[in-house]
Amino acid sequence: RKEVEQDPGPFNVPEGATVAFNCTYSNSASQSFFWYRQDCRKEPKLLMSVYSSGNEDGRFTAQLNRASQYISLLIRDSKLSDSATYLCAVTYNNNDMRFGAGTRLTVKP
Amino acid sequence: DTGVSQDPRHKITKRGQNVTFRCDPISEHNRLYWYRQTLGQGPEFLTYFQNEAQLEKSRLLSDRFSAERPKGSFSTLEIQRTEQGDSAMYLCASSLSGLEYGTDTQYFGPGTRLTVL
């Protein structure tokens, strides 16, 4: 079993749709959680950190469920520019970061 | 640009050759990480430095791979006797670690894309 698992998608949604991505992690000692966005042939860029209380940044909402070892990302009112691969990342002891394989999103007009 | 930089951006080499990549982290960051990413996968951790000390190495980092950060600033990753399976994007990231800085958020450079023929 992989340490961090994501639904690979692809998710194809129309503009304005709400889309949710899920991520599970296997190590209960995980300490920090992140969502990164990666455009084709580019580096991952931090989208948001994920806190136990959940956090929101504009159209993006991230949730963490430590009991179920699960994090989620919700994108509301999706834009064409949201098309990318979304990577879930988890760290242990603030050292090495483990990534999921990513979920690909395409937003269509 | 004060972000993480990597050089070269692309490298094509023949099997058996040695290659070296450089990473310059964000200037005040004390931690530097190397990852490898292949198509359709997330980045895979290779190694990391805190200042000049290499504190952790993945089992992915075979003895053909070596990384250094001699003065605690830039880092180099060398691959000796390259194999076709080494073809990948090599990503560097840096972070500022310390209790006063909160979560150890990593910022990535643009990567070096290696193709081994």
Coordinates of all heavy atoms in Angstrom, one line a residue, chain B residues 10 12 16 18 41 47 52 87 95 108 113:
Chain B
H10 N 17.5 21.5 -18.4 CA 17.4 20.3 -19.2 C 18.8 19.7 -19.4 O 19.8 20.4 -19.5 CB 16.8 20.5 -20.5 CG 15.5 21.2 -20.5 ND1 14.3 20.5 -20.4 CD2 15.1 22.5 -20.5 CE1 13.3 21.3 -20.3 NE2 13.7 22.6 -20.4
I12 N 20.5 16.3 -21.5 CA 20.5 15.0 -22.2 C 21.9 14.4 -22.2 O 22.9 15.1 -22.5 CB 20.0 15.3 -23.7 CG1 18.6 15.9 -23.7 CG2 20.0 14.0 -24.5 CD1 18.2 16.4 -25.1
G16 N 25.8 5.9 -19.1 CA 27.2 5.7 -18.6 C 27.9 6.9 -18.3 O 29.0 6.9 -17.6
N18 N 28.5 10.7 -16.4 CA 28.1 11.3 -15.1 C 27.5 12.7 -15.4 O 27.8 13.4 -16.3 CB 29.4 11.5 -14.3 CG 30.1 10.2 -14.0 OD1 29.5 9.1 -14.1 ND2 31.4 10.3 -13.6
Q41 N 3.6 10.4 -11.7 CA 3.8 10.1 -10.3 C 4.1 11.4 -9.6 O 4.4 12.4 -10.2 CB 5.0 9.2 -10.1 CG 4.9 7.9 -10.8 CD 3.7 7.1 -10.2 OE1 3.5 7.0 -9.0 NE2 2.9 6.5 -11.1
T47 N 16.7 12.9 -0.7 CA 17.6 13.2 0.5 C 17.3 14.7 0.9 O 16.7 15.4 0.2 CB 19.1 13.1 0.1 OG1 19.9 13.2 1.2 CG2 19.5 14.2 -1.0
E52 N 24.6 22.3 6.3 CA 25.5 21.5 5.5 C 25.4 20.0 5.7 O 26.0 19.2 5.0 CB 27.0 21.9 5.6 CG 27.6 21.7 7.0 CD 27.2 22.8 7.9 OE1 26.4 23.7 7.6 OE2 27.8 22.8 9.0
S87 N 16.2 8.6 -16.0 CA 15.5 9.7 -16.7 C 14.3 10.1 -15.9 O 13.5 9.3 -15.5 CB 15.1 9.3 -18.1 OG 16.2 9.0 -18.9
S95 N 13.3 24.9 2.6 CA 12.4 25.4 3.7 C 13.1 26.0 4.8 O 14.4 25.9 4.9 CB 11.5 24.2 4.2 OG 12.4 23.3 4.9
F108 N 9.5 24.7 -4.1 CA 10.2 23.9 -5.1 C 10.8 24.8 -6.1 O 10.3 25.9 -6.5 CB 9.3 23.0 -5.8 CG 8.9 21.8 -5.0 CD1 8.0 21.8 -4.0 CD2 9.7 20.6 -5.2 CE1 7.7 20.7 -3.2 CE2 9.4 19.4 -4.4 CZ 8.4 19.5 -3.5
R113 N 15.3 18.5 -15.9 CA 14.8 17.3 -16.6 C 15.9 16.6 -17.2 O 16.6 17.1 -18.1 CB 13.8 17.8 -17.7 CG 13.1 16.6 -18.3 CD 11.9 17.0 -19.2 NE 10.9 17.6 -18.5 CZ 9.9 17.0 -17.8 NH1 9.9 15.6 -17.7 NH2 9.0 17.6 -17.1

